[in-house]
Amino acid sequence: MRLNEITFTDAKPVEGYGPGFFRVGGEVVHGPLIIGPAGVQSWQGYDDADALLTLKDQVDVLFVGTGSNIAHLPSDLRVALEDAGLGVEVMASPAACRTYNVLLSEGRRIALALIPV
């Protein structure tokens, strides 16, 4: 078996999560958050579309983790993101973290918005 070391760019990987928190780049962050090219920032959840829209020229795809289970985004939020030209993929937060880390290791232009489990 061949093992390759993964080298992350300036963006930080998600290293773990638990009830109400995420561990990102060695630091514990409580509550909803956004991880993107500018780093980690808190997020106010689905009502905070402006924070997500600032990513439109920086990333190709935004992964949205909806907590323990997959759920639909509010339609007005999805429409606003798609009208801005931002690709959106919705999944449960654990799956979103894993997908984000894999694509981040490949150097993709991605961001992650997470609701805690």
Side-chain angles (χ1 to χ4, degrees), residues 26-109:
E27 296 183 29
V28 174
V29 181
H30 294 275
L33 59 90
I34 298 171
I35 308 170
V40 179
Q41 65 185 48
S42 62
W43 179 42
Q44 301 305 311
Y46 300 137
D47 293 332
D48 189 10
D50 291 338
L52 300 177
L53 290 171
T54 62
L55 299 167
K56 70 179 180 154
D57 295 324
Q58 302 172 35
V59 301
D60 299 319
V61 178
L62 169 67
F63 293 97
V64 180
T66 59
S68 299
N69 299 305
I70 190 167
H72 293 286
L73 289 182
S75 60
D76 57 334
L77 176 59
R78 178 176 281 284
V79 167
L81 296 173
E82 290 176 351
D83 285 351
L86 191 57
V88 180
E89 293 291 332
V90 179
M91 54 190 74
S93 291
C97 291
R98 290 188 301 271
T99 304
Y100 171 81
N101 283 348
V102 168
L103 295 178
L104 180 65
S105 73
E106 295 176 356
R108 305 285 182 94
R109 290 174 19 113

